[in-house]
Amino acid sequence: MTVDTSKYPELADIDEWLKSRWLKLEDVLTPDALESIKSEVVALLEGKSPPEFSKDSELRFFLTLVVIKILGIKSLLQRFLDGERERLIRLLERETEENVFDIARALGLNMERVRSDVTRKSSKVILVARIGFVEYLTATRGVNEERLSLKYRVMKDGYVYLSKEELALLLANLLIERGRRIYEMINEAAMPEALKNLAKGLKAKRFPPCMDALMSKQRLNEDEAANLAAFLLSVGFSNKDVVELMVQKGLDNAEQLVESLVPKPKRAYIPENCESLKRKGICVADCKVRNPLQYYFGSLK
């Protein structure tokens, strides 16, 4: 069986996909296609899950990665891949064992089918696959998934045994890592201007000039860091990503700063109002709003 890449776009080679249809990337960037990708990225920016791909999933998956790469927002990539991981797990758990093994082979895994059962917490678990110990370690290297840890696995005679649910989890994470590699290999400079302009428009509409300016600075003072961190947390960036960014901007107390800004019951920290930002020299343009968040959320409408 050939794996259906419309269901598993991480396994598609976009160049081959286009070539098989006698197309170039520029040919498929119609106004409708661009608007569709824009809607999906906007959903991610708003913290929502975009609709699942249906038609031309391989192309839409790739184009979404391209726009995220051009935008350069790491938390957006993680949000996209987290949603994709959950979709893949649900999909793989419903697949037949034969199809799951075809996907494993497409990922380069030397997996053997078995049939045995073990008892865990008074429940019977059916094991359907085994993979060599060393190959399992190699396959899961760099995969950040506690449930795939060896301490949860059945091991015997140099093999690691997996149930169908565990195999689905392994394959979903490997597909996500493959998607991450596709992202890393994207050369945004070589992408068509239509995609660059789409990303540029999204970025310009969402980040107020003051926050864009702070993102561009190599080092931030305490006021700048506190306001940028509060803004990013308010619009959906993860604590981890904000801490990493603050470290890059030269802050020694990045973790403490972010922790102090995390919303708590009946208390939420937001950037200072524009008048205060003007007094501190952070404001760089007259945006006709009272707060950077008003600019951001108003521009999403």
Side-chain angles (χ1 to χ4, degrees):
M1 168 198 162
T2 301
V3 175
D4 183 355
T5 56
S6 68
K7 293 162 66 176
Y8 304 100
E10 293 83 0
L11 291 171
D13 181 320
I14 196 63
D15 290 330
E16 291 299 321
W17 188 91
L18 290 166
K19 190 182 298 183
S20 69
R21 290 159 175 77
W22 299 89
L23 293 169
K24 295 180 180 179
L25 191 55
E26 291 83 351
D27 299 331
V28 299
L29 298 178
T30 63
D32 285 347
L34 290 170
E35 187 60 35
S36 177
I37 297 302
K38 178 181 176 181
S39 297
E40 287 154 9
V41 176
V42 166
L44 289 167
L45 283 164
E46 292 176 334
K48 303 172 185 175
S49 297
E52 291 191 2
F53 300 132
S54 52
K55 183 181 178 182
D56 295 338
S57 297
E58 301 93 334
L59 177 65
R60 293 174 68 179
F61 178 80
F62 177 74
L63 292 179
T64 301
L65 285 179
V66 170
V67 175
I68 293 173
K69 182 71 175 281
I70 297 172
L71 284 171
I73 304 175
K74 285 186 177 180
S75 62
L76 199 61
L77 172 66
Q78 193 58 50
R79 189 179 298 166
F80 176 58
L81 294 181
D82 284 346
E84 178 67 0
R85 180 187 290 107
E86 294 307 310
R87 182 191 74 85
L88 289 169
I89 292 172
R90 293 194 302 270
L91 187 59
L92 287 160
E93 287 178 342
R94 297 195 301 265
E95 288 280 13
T96 65
E97 286 185 21
E98 181 179 353
N99 288 354
V100 169
F101 276 88
D102 284 335
I103 293 164
R105 281 190 287 272
L107 285 166
L109 295 179
N110 183 23
M111 196 85 67
E112 296 180 32
R113 298 180 74 166
V114 298
R115 180 66 57 172
S116 61
D117 58 73
V118 295
T119 300
R120 290 182 185 158
K121 297 180 180 179
S122 303
S123 299
K124 182 185 289 187
V125 176
I126 299 175
L127 304 173
V128 300
R130 72 176 190 177
I131 182 173
F133 176 77
V134 174
E135 186 173 2
Y136 184 83
L137 287 180
T138 301
T140 55
R141 184 183 299 140
V143 174
N144 185 24
E145 177 58 74
E146 173 67 15
R147 291 174 291 175
L148 293 175
S149 171
L150 282 174
K151 66 183 178 182
Y152 300 118
R153 304 278 70 79
V154 173
M155 291 179 285
K156 183 181 178 182
D157 300 329
Y159 287 95
V160 177
Y161 288 74
L162 302 163
S163 67
K164 187 166 183 283
E165 292 74 20
E166 292 163 347
L167 182 54
L169 182 62
L170 172 63
L171 297 183
N173 276 276
L174 293 180
L175 285 166
I176 289 303
E177 290 307 307
R178 192 178 180 102
R180 200 182 300 277
R181 288 196 296 274
I182 293 172
Y183 170 87
E184 295 297 340
M185 292 173 64
I186 291 170
N187 178 4
E188 57 263 48
M191 290 297 111
E193 288 301 315
L195 290 175
K196 295 178 187 176
N197 290 336
L198 188 157
K200 183 179 179 181
L202 284 170
K203 186 174 182 180
K205 288 179 181 178
R206 269 143 192 87
F207 279 77
C210 57
M211 296 300 142
D212 229 358
L214 294 182
M215 288 285 284
S216 299
K217 294 185 71 171
Q218 290 188 335
R219 299 187 71 82
L220 301 175
N221 62 37
E222 289 290 334
D223 281 334
E224 292 170 336
N227 278 284
L228 178 58
F231 172 80
L232 295 175
L233 291 169
S234 297
V235 301
F237 280 64
S238 71
N239 295 5
K240 181 180 177 183
D241 279 342
V242 177
V243 169
E244 288 180 359
L245 179 64
M246 292 300 110
V247 170
Q248 293 172 14
K249 301 293 186 184
L251 252 70
D252 296 326
N253 61 334
E255 289 190 21
Q256 294 92 323
L257 171 66
V258 171
E259 179 60 29
S260 72
L261 295 171
V262 173
K264 298 175 175 61
K266 298 184 180 180
R267 183 199 285 177
Y269 289 96
I270 63 173
E272 296 175 60
N273 63 44
C274 295
E275 286 301 318
S276 179
L277 296 180
K278 286 177 184 177
R279 288 194 297 270
K280 293 182 177 181
I282 295 174
C283 178
V284 296
D286 184 9
C287 303
K288 309 298 183 186
V289 295
R290 294 184 298 275
N291 187 283
L293 290 177
Q294 184 185 0
Y295 183 104
Y296 179 89
F297 287 110
S299 70
L300 293 177
K301 297 176 182 178

